Each structure stands twice: as C-alpha cells, then as structure tokens.
Amino acid sequence: MRKVAVIGVGQTRFSGAQGKSLSELFAEAAFEALADAHIESKSVQALFVGNALGDFAEGQGMTPAFIADYIGAWNVPANRYDGACASASVAIRDAFLLVAAGVYDIVIAGGVERAASLGTPLATRTFAMFSDSRYEFPAGMTFPGVFALLAHRYAAVYGLPIEKLKEQMAQVSVQSYNHGMFNPKAHLKKSVTIPDVLKSFTVATPIQLHDCCPFSDGAAAVVVASEEAAKTLSPRPVFIAGAGQASSGPLASQGAYLPRLKARELSARQAYAMAGITPADIDVCELHDCFSIAGIIAAEGLGFFEQGKAGEAWLKGEADIGGKVAINPSGGLKSKGHPIGATGAAQVYEVVRQLRGEVEPERQVPEARIGMTDTLGGDGGTMVSLIFKRGW
Amino acid sequence: MRKVAVIGVGQTRFSGAQGKSLSELFAEAAFEALADAHIESKSVQALFVGNALGDFAEGQGMTPAFIADYIGAWNVPANRYDGACASASVAIRDAFLLVAAGVYDIVIAGGVERAASLGTPLATRTFAMFSDSRYEFPAGMTFPGVFALLAHRYAAVYGLPIEKLKEQMAQVSVQSYNHGMFNPKAHLKKSVTIPDVLKSFTVATPIQLHDCCPFSDGAAAVVVASEEAAKTLSPRPVFIAGAGQASSGPLASQGAYLPRLKARELSARQAYAMAGITPADIDVCELHDCFSIAGIIAAEGLGFFEQGKAGEAWLKGEADIGGKVAINPSGGLKSKGHPIGATGAAQVYEVVRQLRGEVEPERQVPEARIGMTDTLGGDGGTMVSLIFKRGW
C-alpha cells in the first residue's frame, strides 16, 4: 500500500438554512480544496461524497453523479455514502484506501448537507432514521433522548452526581464556543459561561440547549493524493497515517458496555495500530461532540482520559489548547455546526490546517504534528477514526 | 492487486410489497450467500450494501450498520451506497477493489430495497429523485418519461419508424418474460406476445405497460473473496475479471450524444480493458432493461450490436440463449423485478450461477464461460460494468 496525503482542503461557512443547492454547496468546498491543492477538476479521478439527507432536503438522491458533472470532474466514478453523521468520514476513508491501493492517484472526498434547510421538525424526524427505526424512534428516542440516557448512564456508572456531570458537560460547550468565536466558518458564534449553559432551556434532562449542536447547512471537501502526486503538488502534504472504521447495531445491543461505545474503541484501535502511535501522541483532535456528553464519551473512548474522568479534564483545561490534547479547536459540532454528511470532512479540514499551522492564532494549537478525527454516525452505528501526520 | 472471486451468492425472491424489514430481507440473501460460500458471518470483514430508498420505505437510514449486527458480522465496517438503481453494483465494485488491494480478504456486498412497499405514487416520486431534481422532475420527467423521450430520440437518430421500434421493444419484453417464467425468484411470471405488449396500456408514448419493469421488494448478496481465500473455500470460484464505473450529470448534459450514454461506454471500456477481452467474448450478460428501450440502448452501448441494430438482433434471436450473446436469461428487470438497490447484486447472482451452470435448464446458457453485468443508476448518472470469468 502506498502512502497517502491530503493535499488540499475546503469548507463552506456552516450556517442555518440558506439558498444554495447540494451541488452548489459542495462545489464551493471542492473548488477551495482544488485551489488549495493547485490542481484542476480534470485531475480528479473519483469523487466520494457523504450525504445523509439530500433526498429529504431537496428531493435529490445520488447527488455525487450530479456534483461530478457540476464541478467539471466529468464521468469519474462518483459514490454517495450514507453513514449518517459519519458519512464524509466513510467517504474519506474509502478514498484513502483506494489511493493507497493504487486504484486512483487523486480523489476528492467530503460531504454536504442541508440539515438546517430541512427545518426543525423534519430535521429531528429524519435524523432519528439513523437510530434503529423499529425500536428506538417509536419509543420516542430522537437523538437528544439517546444522549440524555447516555448521560444518566454515565453518571450512574462512574458514580458522578448529575449536577457535577452537568457542570462538566457545560464546560465542554463553553470551550467549544470559545474556539468557534474565532473560526470564520463557524455557524454559532457567541461566548457562553457555565451558568449560561445550565440555565438554557432543558431539551432532555440532563441536556440543556447549549449542550446540543445546531442543525447546519454546509459542505467540506479534501483532496486525497498518492505520495508521488503529493510530492509534485504540495510543499506541505499531510499524510493519512491511520484509519479505522467499525459498526454496531441498535444502542441497546451494546448492553452493559454503555456508556462506552465498542465500535469507537475498535475503530480507534485500528487507526492507532496503523499509525503506530498511542493516544498520548495526538496533539489535536476533532471529535464528535453532537452533544456535550458525546464529547466526554468520545475523549475517553479514544483513550485521551480515563473512563469517567474526561469531564474533569475539560474543567482543568486538559482538553484544551495547551492541555494534554487540544480538542475541537474548530469549535466542534457545537459551535462550528453540524451539517451531518459534511461533518467528518470539516473535521479533517480543521486538523489538516492545524497541522499546517494556518488557523487563526487564537485557536492554533502550537507545534501540532499529529492530529486525529473521530466521527460518530447515528447513535454509534458507524464510527470512523482517522490519524494525520505532517509530511515535512 | 490480487485476483478476486465471488465464492457465494444469495437472492430473495423478488416480489411485490411484503412484510419483511430491510435487515430481514438482506439477511435472507446474505445467509444464502454465506452458506453457498461455506463460511459463517464471523468470517466477514466488511459489509457493503446498496440501498437507495430505505429511509422512505421504512424510516431507516444507515441500514448496513444495523444489518451487520443483525447477521452477526459484528462491528465490521458497514457502508451504505446510494447509486440509485446501480447502488449494489457500486458496492460490489468497491468490495472487489478493496479485496484486490488486500485491505480485506472476505466482504459481503449486495443490496436491498422495498420499492414495492413504497406504494406506486411514492415510488414514482422517490425514483424521480435520481434524475436531476432541479430540471428534470419539475418538468414532469419521471423515468417512464425519460425513457419515452430516449425511445423517440433513438427512432429519430437511426431513422427507424416508431412502429418498428415498438415491435423491437416488445420483443425485448417477450424474451425477458420467457426466461422469467423459469426463474423461481422472479417477480412477474407470465407469458406475453408482441401483440400483448403493444396492446397493453400506454405509460408514456411509445412505452406500453409491458415495456416497463415493476417496482419490487427484494435483496441479493455476494461473498467477494481474495484468490487465496477462494482456493480454500470454493471448488468453483468465479473471478471478477474486470470492473468499470463512470458518472454523468443530468441527461441533458449529454446533448447530441443521446440516445447513447457516454458514461456506460466509458465504464464498459474500463471493464473490457481490465479483463483483456472484447464484447464478442461475453457469453451471457445481465443488463439494465428497466424499460425495453433501455435494454436496446444498453446492448449497443456495451458493444454487442451496432448502434441502431440491437432491436433487430432481439427479433432475430441474436440477443437470446443460442444467439450472439445471451441477454437477461434471469428475466431481467422486466420479469425478475427491480428492487432498485438490490438489482446490481441480483445481476451478479445470475451471472455467477450461469457460469457455474446451475440455473434451471430452460434458461441455462450452455458452456457460459464469461459473463457481464451492466447497471444503470438514475437516467445514466451512475453506470457500473462488471465482468466475470469461470475459475476452473
């Protein structure tokens, strides 16, 4: 297998409902990524797009076939992946594997979603399709409910008073908002305090409004290239050093293992093994904080902190820039926004730019050399881990 | 790249609306394929499933994550592909490439759909999402309309009186029905004559009811394995000798090239080149006859007959068993049925069983050594070609 690099990244601003089509949104991100990679559309040999809800948002399925034509990557194989919120990460992993294998030299991979355009009731209803449609949604289990249950379970398993956990969760959001303030592409830009979070309205006990990410519109894309192609095109290639992916069924299938998610831990283990590193080597990580409790569970599942201790780490600044590992300097799903199918690619966009040292100074992780992304689809049904290393 | 074989195939009966869930349907096909391959679920290293409309049929997205759990392929990477009617073929090609690359040794790939369960008005509406949602559907272009226009264009380009073309189209359906009669897994089993087709009701001039495939429920799955794994498991591996995939945008983007579809021709060319063969080497081909005119266009695009001459070939029996190439001995989409996301896998199911010489005698292609599948997604947006060769 060949070495594979990311040589270009692009992202639209994440936002509420806006008027661009899926093709237009993805094109905006793709052209930025192509320009960043100093290549033209005709150099692209395949297009892999994560998109979970395009059919519902604008009555368009099989979107990548139209996007390929739209961006001038004529007639290339164009795949659509639905791994729910992890769709783009599945697309990028596939691109990585097929470039590594020598099938393609240059692939654009990413994702696009108009989750905000769906409107709130339909967005909530359609998101719930990514949990088990037979047993979870009919029982009232939309995602705030799923993560509220996980928060209660977390508190019970680790013997944490719920008020203490709520304070930790609040700090996860506070930190994300702090960084998102300085991300020009973030959806929600505001400064909030722990009391602000705690007094925001209750979505599903113990989850408050500020514990939840927004529904966003947006797209992100990355140019994935063989080492050989990267050498001639990019002075600063960021190599994909490791990748993992694992699945699981309904949340209940994980039984007593909860609040831990086995699929994440398996996926991360694959990625660490491939990269030949340990969690302690990660300088910066964009992880899946669709709810603040999800961020805490992710940080533990990836091995950054002991089980039951991540919330404390957040409160101590150990999960922030300058701490043990800089988590979500982009603002995370919480502040940057969560356009489902695009989220994994936006995480890669951020990590690559962090490793290149080119984000806004207020949120740049100093000397970041190794980065990671963690993306969760549904209530853990699809988990993808990617590890990146500077190539210079 | 390693050699890759199909070592097991499974298919549910294709049917009208039925009561099984997507997971249950796919499991039925998958367990048949696993038994055929003499392996258990725990040997599977990844699961790739084509599914276009599960969200609409039963409110379930990201279905493969749940299917993997359901069939006991716990925690494997589980991808959902939407390439419209070509979804399963995209999944199988991806499985082929990743096994060839050495990423996996054994993958289950296939597709599932409950297109009949959607009910006719919703099925027609949702299918139309796979043409261009901005310009085609709003203009009234559901798929019967698309292929009716292509039929008129075909007649005009090749100077064929429309009544002559209608007779040729009718023969495509007559032949498919003739074979489907003997396929125990076919959806529609009846014997029709050319006059029956011509006097069936008009769906969209010049397309009559019997020129159209049905909406079906069903699933199909294949076990894809490395040559090494195949050697120990199967006395009769069928090798995937070639694969191609290409995309295109809205039908109108193809302009004066129509009724030919450039993406198909590019895709087929890739597959022939990889397999090192020409169209004349193909003994049996399952091609995408969603409408009879689509079958005619496909047979020419794949290079079996001269442009404008395929309909005549059908009338002369050259497209039938004993002719130049045996087309759709399964009954094709017309008689076997068309459960969108499953169709490409059902084509592979048929070709593999033809090469093994194990289908019903009435429709077995004698001495079939090389087979091909051709799958069309949307109105040509996604095209996949696969070529298979006996391994013994």
Side-chain angles (χ1 to χ4, degrees), chain B residues 14-15 32 58 68 197 290 319 361 373:
Chain B
F14 286 179
S15 72
E32 187 183 328
E58 64 181 44
V197 177
C290 48
T373 63

Side-chain angles (χ1 to χ4, degrees), chain A residues 107 135 150 333:
Chain A
V107 177
Y135 303 116
L150 283 174
L333 280 59

Side-chain angles (χ1 to χ4, degrees), chain B residues 328-388:
Chain B
N328 292 353
S330 71
L333 280 58
K334 166 73 263 190
S335 163
K336 184 176 56 183
H338 185 25
I340 312 307
T343 281
Q347 292 177 320
V348 175
Y349 171 87
E350 172 72 12
V351 166
V352 166
R353 296 184 71 243
Q354 284 283 354
L355 298 186
R356 289 183 189 164
E358 66 191 28
V359 306
E360 293 66 29
E362 294 85 351
R363 57 187 200 85
Q364 173 69 51
V365 180
E367 296 298 320
R369 300 195 61 82
I370 302 182
M372 184 172 196
T373 63
D374 158 83
T375 331
L376 170 150
D379 41 15
T382 301
M383 298 293 328
V384 184
S385 317
L386 298 169
I387 293 173
F388 301 86

